[in-house]
């Protein structure tokens, strides 16, 4: 833990917010989404509440109201502003939040410069990982905010290379329909291959490796696995078009009961942010609206859709332990961090199997505590443990994940109906 | 109609928005409320759609998207952005709306300078009255926006004189309880007197007087009235405290069935914006939170509350025709326009009976078409007529009404549960 | 008031319920609807609560729980079972409600036999009129209950004559479209004529005639009317088909704003209980599903639809006072009471103008208190007065109204979106 | 499979419905609940649809409408009546459903008497297990129906011995508060002991034992377990009172985030069917309202509550595999089937550890497919698999489970907020 690292993470948040106007930073387009300026303030509140107040001698809170206004869900800290009303609070404004950030940064740098208390270091480290998570949320949230605007404005212009992708996907075209002719079981998506594992007792979870991990990745423990294959590639938009053209959104036999009900209520007939253009499918990205690229990994699909797709193709989603057993560690020397927050085709990835840096990958596993799980002590123990029901686990990382934030044991989680994160999938199957 | 008058009304809107940040101008705190920048854009859209497009040769719309984004409810003009989502649109921002306004103003001034078409003059006049209505809405809407912020920020500082009012109202104090001892029937509120009218056939509605009126004020027509009294004063906060302390919010016999259900669901136990302080009632104003002043007219009460209050005191609300028959025309030489958008005690009013310039006064009359009513032709015919059900008529004007906008025949209307406008009441009774 | 009359009204309720199984009598198909056995119990509760308890010496309540279970909305009497949960109460069952009725009838007959207290007589009379209103509600409610059953069961077989009506209405057929060619203003519906009235001061409300009236019909009072015409016939299904085929359900310019929103939310495209058959419109009646008869009065239309229809045809709905001024008193010697609870064509009516006995007729008038209105004293004062907002007045009576219950001054009322009563309309227009 | 067994199971359903009136059998008190007569018809529909129609030569459906009306959720069979509207269908009535049952029974007995087709036998067996599940649902559903009736009627009188239980639980009494002083880790509930298991690879799921099992219990497979203890007793009402008195319902730190939100929205402060009497807690049972017996197993608690309780006491819920590894098979010679559908104290149970026949026991495991799971082919494949998300697994059986229906590998499942089934818990802990 160095002051440099603190400054680096904190300033990245401000850089992400920089292209956004005060108005952009104020809007909350649905209860799941938070305004940009709320993200900026809440991550600051985290350091103030969990580091400065208990450990910085003589520290006085910046504003008593902020304690409630920028608490997300920490019951132990006290009452909180209702989540669906985050978009109703015009003041403090974006600039005033900047002042708040700078004030807390000043106190933090002072504290980090003169003390070596282990708890301060650990909580600061946690705070930085927390802020990195909110950097990712900030991007997926502002994408939703911009998408509900009929003007469909862009967050940033797309870099030239990213715009120059392959052929667009025809909307309603009758192309390859149904699961493609597989010789030995279902074919792998996107022309990839399967990674076989013989099963048996494996060890998963954080413990064998140094460095930071969240409490929900521990303890490292043993799991029995049957033999299985996991795909060495992500499911692509082209794969998804085949599912869509085969009527996958209209066949209840492919869907979980809750998924079918959600699809019907919500009127889903394609991934989120897809819309029909003139004879072509369009997709809204952080760079604006453009044609769907069949070669890029599909994203913004719910667990219900991912599960239905896997059933349609005759496969299944991998279990968390299967994924973790087969996946590599992220490559530090050549990280999978895209230039622009949108997934790219495998051909343009540094690592063709795309385990990291493109889309969070839904697993078959409900998000539940590991055997022997103990939440972190104190209010920060509310970080992970209290969400361990009604959610599905995801693995990998995505195009909005900050550099250095991913790891093989990382456990992300969302409700099965969530589509606004950068969610996608890779397939698995029983090996017999 | 002169260019000067156009400029004067238009610039007043910008002056009202000036104290508000871009963030303030973006928020929509409930579906009934519109963001400030939406009001600024919509009033501009009105001139663009109803004046420039049909009458300014060669006029090109400023932005095709604005046609839909800033249409309020004119079905004849085409589709419109859903009302509850006005607060989700961050772009165009507040500054860009300013540019839009200036562009349309330029074209309007050019048009007004060179043509004398009667329809242009009439539609421009309508557009200015429309904009004045939105000036009032802007204030009542931003009041609601600021009120839901736990910081309770002020729109503007209160002028010194307004702040120096009389004694505060004790919260829960047992003062004068129950209807005050009346010698001959119910006493008049606030120590005022009754204005008697012998009834008979009277004429109401616009027609006898020159100048602008909305279509809903016409035609002038005859009505039969029985003898009645209308109070020469508004019901005050002090009067209301007596009602409140007598348990008026807890007695179903005083309330309409729908009103009682609304009170119960919403948890009403005082006017909107009142809250209990330490031993005193506080009220949120556009100048922030301060003690309730018993001498000032009560405001932010629904029709249900006004009706229950009148029943409690043994009176009733006046019918529209009764109000109009007894009320004076607004005094042009010394207008009832307050310095600050909050009602003041009668003692500080230029006209002690306070028919105008303080609070809109609920009447007993459902808002319905006058006999022989014809809506204005074309899309502007949607202005008034299509709301003539499920609403109650209000008369007078309020502390947020722009100078020169009030008149005796003016018919305002809101649903009976509305509380966020500056609504209040004066009493009436049968004279026998 | 005689014991015979008491017995006659009470036994008619039981006769109406007789064709219904215990299961039929238990179901509540929407919050507005009450189960049949609830109607039977509530009307009994009325006599027990307002007559027996205060006036029958030594009377002990039949069951303490019934006091709450069968109170409809009388706040003064105490708490009540929530209206939307009336269909969740399986006990007391239909047979036990019969026992309850007989027990109260025994006590009532005893009381009526030995006392002549005026208040007892007046409250019993009120109770019988109340029960007659519930007889009508019972029929319209059970119609809704049966209609939501996919089996579409009949309440009663249709009498032979009623079944043998004219030609069926083609669904989607392009017949007479648009308002029919009128020589002098809009044509009268169904080939009828207009009744002209020169206007001036008229008297309306109960007072000139002896016999029972509800408090809301009083006091008799003067009203000024402009010259007008009211149609001498009801709008028929054939008329309505022309409206429907002209796209009347798809033109917002014809509708009130609230009505258009309701139409859109609810998906209305025809009167309630109409459905498309094979090339023909079908209508669900208390005798089951059968083709729409163009000659019979249209029914089960909301005020919003009636108002839109009138606008489409270039007319308007009559005001209450207009209706009452032109309508006759119901004919006692040959009453307009149909054999079966469904409206019949004018040609099969005893009185061709069909002012009574077919459909309640929506008026242009919001339901509001008459000048000088005083509710009845005590809890029965909650009968009418507390509903005088958000409702529209209807006049006449309908095919489900019990014999002897109708009168010219009778004021019925429903919210403007209500369609499940037997509601229809007759037109009016300004006479110039 | 014999005709006798078919008759026995079928007639038990009718015996369970026998104490209920037609009105009782019609009501649906919430969407999760189905009317008794619907259960009776739906179980009949199952045999008609899956056995008679495909396998009985020349079989004609009893009523075409029933196909839709009594389909629960089988999409492959066709459309279905909306679940929340099951209580709106008064016809067919209870008696007519009896006729339907007898007609199908006649055809089934004929079919079973003359054929030996394996598929018929397997589907009939499935149909009987299906019907047994509905016997249990019928009881838990009618309990809810009766509970919402303010009269709180009983389904059946309580047998004498069951009524004569121990001391009642004081409401609000300050008894043993907090987790009781444990010598070596948390104390076992109800004075019981822990069953230790050393962990390692175990086998779970159906396969080692003959006889019927549902598809979701298969395949038998290996699981790695860490050493653990499972309690040899159920958590009792007395245990729960200590939790309640310690403020367990008011401490967010004990609850999952979704659970806390549900508790707050629903206003939970005790198990379902508990209510405060005069100084004592009362509980509504199928025998009516009576004092809570501290010695009997707690029931009608959600997973959220069970999970919070376990956390409060310093333990956790067992995983499915843990439960199955430690539990015995149900004792056929002396079954755990209570005389009356309500749990009894361990002292009155034939088997003191109460693994079966009292309450379904929540586990820590989300309900998910076993590795290698394959749904049954055809429409009956919708039986279990499509619910494998958003639910928690339960083990054991309950006081409403029919004789012979329970087994060690049985997997029941409900959403974590469900309380109306007979749900309870036993504790587990890591053994170190």
């Amino acid at each position: 833990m160095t002051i440099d690292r603190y400054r680096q993470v904190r300033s990245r948040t401000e850089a992400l917010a920089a292209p956004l106007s005060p108005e952009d930073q104020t809007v909350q387009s649905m209860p799941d989404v938070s305004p940009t300026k709320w993200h900026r303030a809440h991550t600051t509140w985290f350091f103030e509440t969990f580091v400065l107040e208990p450990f910085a001698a003589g520290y006085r809170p910046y504003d008593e109201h902020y304690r409630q206004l920028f608490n997300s869900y920490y019951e132990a800290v006290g009452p909180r502003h209702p989540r669906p009303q985050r978009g109703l609070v015009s003041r403090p404004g974006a600039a005033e939040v900047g002042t708040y950030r700078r004030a807390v940064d000043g106190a933090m740098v002072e504290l980090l410069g003169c003390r070596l208390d282990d708890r301060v270091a650990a909580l600061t480290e946690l705070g930085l990982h927390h802020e990195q998570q909110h950097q990712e949320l900030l991007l997926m949230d502002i994408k939703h905010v911009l998408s509900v605007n009929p003007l469909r404005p862009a967050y940033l212009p797309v870099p030239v290379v990213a715009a120059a992708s392959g052929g667009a996907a025809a909307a309603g075209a009758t192309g390859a329909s149904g699961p493609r002719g597989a010789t030995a079981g279902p074919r792998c998506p996107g022309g990839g291959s399967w990674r076989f594992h013989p099963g048996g007792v494996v060890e998963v979870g954080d413990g064998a490796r140094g460095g930071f991990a969240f409490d929900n990745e521990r303890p490292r423990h043993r799991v029995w696995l049957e033999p299985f294959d996991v795909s060495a590639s992500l499911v692509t938009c082209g794969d998804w078009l085949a599912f869509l053209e085969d009527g996958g959104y209209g066949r209840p036999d492919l869907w979980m009961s809750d998924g079918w009900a959600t699809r019907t209520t919500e009127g889903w007939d394609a991934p989120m942010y897809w819309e029909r253009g003139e004879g072509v499918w369009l997709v809204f990205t952080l760079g604006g609206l453009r044609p769907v690229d069949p070669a890029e990994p599909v994203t913004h699909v719910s667990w219900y859709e991912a599960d239905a797709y896997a059933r349609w193709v005759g496969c299944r989603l991998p279990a968390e332990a299967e994924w973790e057993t087969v996946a590599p560690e992220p490559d530090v020397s050549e990280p999978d961090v895209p230039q622009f927050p949108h997934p790219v085709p495998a051909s343009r990835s540094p690592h063709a199997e795309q385990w990291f840096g493109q889309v969070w990958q839904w697993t078959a596993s409900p998000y539940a505590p590991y055997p022997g799980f103990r939440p972190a002590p104190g209010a920060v123990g509310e970080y992970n443990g209290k969400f361990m029901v009604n959610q599905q686990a995801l693995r990998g990382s995505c195009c909005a994940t900050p550099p250095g934030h991913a790891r093989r044991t990382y456990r992300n989680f969302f409700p099965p109906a969530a589509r606004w994160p950068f969610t996608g999938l890779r397939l698995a199957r029983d090996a017999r």
Side-chain angles (χ1 to χ4, degrees), chain A:
Chain A
M1 167 56 48
T2 65
I3 289 175
D4 278 358
R5 172 153 157 73
Y6 177 87
R7 285 200 164 115
Q8 184 184 9
V9 171
R10 294 281 290 167
S11 65
R12 190 172 182 276
T13 303
E14 294 300 81
L16 288 172
L20 298 168
S21 70
E23 293 91 333
D24 292 335
Q25 295 197 33
T26 301
V27 170
Q28 176 178 36
S29 49
M30 65 168 173
D32 287 330
V33 159
S34 296
T36 303
K37 72 184 176 71
W38 187 93
H39 284 298
R40 293 170 58 217
H42 165 68
T43 47
T44 306
W45 168 94
F46 192 98
F47 288 109
E48 192 177 28
T49 303
F50 295 121
V51 182
L52 293 178
E53 292 197 9
F55 297 105
Y59 182 81
R60 304 278 294 273
Y62 182 84
D63 187 311
E64 265 307 321
H65 288 287
Y66 289 10
R67 171 180 280 273
Q68 180 167 341
L69 215 42
F70 299 125
N71 180 357
S72 52
Y73 53 69
Y74 296 84
E75 302 274 359
V77 174
R80 58 194 198 218
H81 191 66
R83 176 171 191 131
Q85 297 176 19
R86 289 178 186 166
L88 307 187
V89 177
S90 62
R91 306 186 196 178
E96 198 171 342
V97 167
T99 309
Y100 174 42
R101 288 183 67 90
R102 285 188 295 276
V104 166
D105 285 349
M108 280 296 297
V109 165
E110 189 178 343
L111 179 69
L112 294 174
C114 64
R115 293 183 68 147
L116 285 167
D117 185 305
D118 279 356
R119 290 171 303 170
V120 170
L123 286 164
T124 303
E125 185 67 48
L126 180 63
L128 293 178
H129 284 272
H130 172 258
E131 182 137 354
Q132 287 182 314
Q133 291 184 311
H134 277 277
Q135 289 170 1
E136 185 173 322
L137 291 167
L138 185 157
L139 285 171
M140 70 196 223
D141 286 0
I142 198 68
K143 182 169 182 174
H144 191 265
V145 166
L146 297 174
S147 78
V148 302
N149 189 327
L151 305 174
R152 297 283 150 72
Y155 164 68
L156 275 183
V158 186
V160 174
V161 57
S165 79
T174 52
S177 63
R180 280 76 43 90
T183 52
R187 228 188 63 169
C188 224
S193 55
W194 295 102
R195 295 260 165 269
F196 170 75
H197 189 281
V201 171
V202 300
E203 285 209 350
V204 295
D206 178 70
R209 162 190 166 281
F212 177 84
F214 286 115
D215 56 3
N216 66 357
E217 302 169 49
R218 288 192 295 260
R220 188 159 177 84
H221 63 284
R222 279 163 289 191
V223 173
W224 176 273
L225 296 178
E226 299 296 325
F228 66 95
D229 294 316
V230 170
S231 169
S233 56
L234 295 173
V235 171
T236 65
C237 289
D239 297 325
W240 204 267
L241 281 160
F243 170 65
L244 203 148
E245 287 160 11
D246 193 43
Y249 278 90
R251 287 176 46 189
D253 56 305
L254 298 173
W255 294 67
M256 286 286 155
S257 179
D258 283 2
W260 184 250
T262 305
R263 177 215 73 98
T264 305
T265 308
E266 302 291 326
W268 292 347
D269 62 355
M272 197 177 196
Y273 299 133
W274 285 33
E275 54 188 89
R276 285 171 212 273
E278 308 266 323
V280 72
W281 279 101
L282 303 176
V283 60
F284 178 73
T285 74
L286 280 165
L289 203 60
R290 65 153 170 80
V292 164
D293 179 350
E296 74 190 17
V298 71
T299 187
H300 298 299
V301 293
S302 65
W303 183 87
Y304 293 131
E305 288 160 286
D307 172 72
Y309 175 87
R311 191 167 293 112
W312 172 74
V313 89
C315 293
R316 59 174 174 80
L317 298 173
E320 275 196 272
E322 292 172 338
W323 194 99
E324 185 172 326
T325 299
V326 172
E329 277 294 342
D331 184 352
V332 183
S333 62
E334 189 180 10
D336 302 87
V337 177
Q339 191 181 1
F340 187 82
H342 196 78
V344 296
S347 60
R348 298 225 312 277
S349 269
H351 302 92
E353 299 196 3
Q354 301 194 303
W355 295 89
F356 298 96
Q358 305 300 330
V359 293
W360 284 104
Q361 295 145 57
W362 286 111
T363 71
S365 304
Y367 176 56
Y370 281 168
F373 167 68
R374 294 281 174 278
V380 293
E382 298 189 52
Y383 202 99
N384 281 306
K386 73 183 194 181
F387 301 106
M388 290 178 168
V389 66
N390 300 330
Q391 315 243 8
Q392 294 296 118
L394 301 99
R395 290 305 189 99
S397 67
C398 82
C399 56
T401 310
H405 188 66
R407 65 191 159 270
R408 197 163 58 97
T409 59
Y410 201 106
R411 305 178 77 197
N412 202 350
F413 52 91
F414 281 107
R419 312 170 97 201
W420 94 110
F422 288 95
T423 46
L425 69 154
R426 81 174 57 233
L427 298 173
R429 62 179 184 187
D430 301 340
R432 272 147 307 184

